[in-house]
Amino acid sequence: MKLPSDVIKKTGPKPGPAVAVFAGVHGNERAGQLALEALAETLSPIAGTVFLVKANPPAIERNVRLVNANLNRLFSRRATPPPTYEGARATELMDLLDRCDALLDLHSYPETAAPDAAEPFAICEPDCRPLVAGFDVGTVVGGFAAFEDGGSDGYMHGNGKIGVCVELGAIERTEKFVDLGIDTARRFLSHFGCLPPAPPLLPRPQRHLRLTAFHKKTAPDFRLARPFRNLEPICAGEEIAAENGRRLVAERDGFIIFPNDTRPVGVEAFLLAAEAT
Ligand SMILES: [Zn+2]
C-alpha cells in the first residue's frame, strides 16, 4: 500500500508490531510536531514498524487548528466524511491506522490565562493504563469514547486496539514540552518493543479521571463564569458558565477540562471529569 503524504515509515531489523505516532492533528499545537521532527531524524527501531505522521500538513503550514473541520472528530467509519481536506485526510489516516496495532497522538491545548501552570495529561480508555503508567504524566482522563465519536484514540479503541492521546501542556509554552513529547513517544515505542526498554521513572502518583460531561456551545452568548484553568477543581453547585440566559452549574465535585468560550456554536465549550473509581 502506498503511504499517505507526510508519513515517514521506519522499520526495525526484527519483526514486531506496527505503531503510529501522530502530531499536528491540530496544526497550531507545535510541541508534538517538533518532537516528531526530532524522532524523524534520530529514531532507529530495533523491531516492528513505526509510522511518524504529520497529520494535518496544510493546518501545520498555516499554524492554525484546522483548515475546514476538526480532524479529531472525523476518525469514524460510521459517518460519511465531509467533502473537505480533513475529511479526505481522515479517511487515508484511518486506512493507515487499520494497519497499526497502536497509536500515540500528540496534542497541546490553549492555556492563555496561566500557561506556566499547564499540566500535561493523557487521554485514553482504561485498557491503556499499563502503557500510560510508563509515561511521565500525572493525570490520565478516560471516558471520551462514551461522549464523542471521531477522536483518533477512540477510533483505535473502537477497533479493539491501543490509542492514546497525550496533551503536552500549553500551546503558549511549546518549547517547554518538546522533550516530554520525545520522551513519551520513546516510552510508547519501548512498550511495544520497537525500542529497547526505557529508563524507569521515579515513582510518582498518577491520578485517573473519568469524563462526566461534554458540553457543546449552544448559543453565541456562552460565557464561562471566570477564566478556568484546564484540570482546575470544580465544586458541586459552582457556576461554570452562562448560556441563553441560563446558569450552568456543576452537579458534582470534579475537574474542568478544555474550558473555552471562544469556539463556535456546536463545538465543545468545556468538559467535566471526576475521580475514576
Ligand atoms: Zn489538539
Side-chain angles (χ1 to χ4, degrees), residues 26 29 107-108:
H26 298 130
E29 300 171 5
H107 288 250
S108 315

Side-chain angles (χ1 to χ4, degrees), residues 77-128:
R77 301 282 191 191
R78 281 192 275 272
T80 310
T84 60
Y85 171 75
E86 276 99 348
R89 184 64 167 167
T91 299
E92 60 182 20
L93 293 183
M94 283 189 285
D95 291 345
L96 177 71
L97 290 175
D98 289 347
R99 301 159 63 191
C100 292
D101 302 290
L103 165 71
L104 172 68
D105 189 359
L106 298 172
H107 288 250
S108 315
Y109 57 88
E111 186 71 280
T112 324
D116 289 319
E119 182 196 334
F121 65 103
I123 293 173
C124 62
E125 299 306 317
D127 57 346
C128 297

Side-chain angles (χ1 to χ4, degrees), residues 233-251:
I234 298 288
C235 299
E238 184 173 352
E239 182 171 344
I240 298 170
E243 183 173 51
N244 248 331
R246 274 183 49 232
R247 295 167 66 233
L248 304 178
V249 172
E251 286 175 14

Side-chain angles (χ1 to χ4, degrees), residues 25-26 28-29 65 70 72 106-109 165 167 258:
V25 164
H26 298 130
N28 60 337
E29 300 171 5
R65 180 172 169 83
N70 181 356
N72 213 24
L106 298 172
H107 288 250
S108 315
Y109 57 88
C165 160
E167 295 283 344
F258 300 144

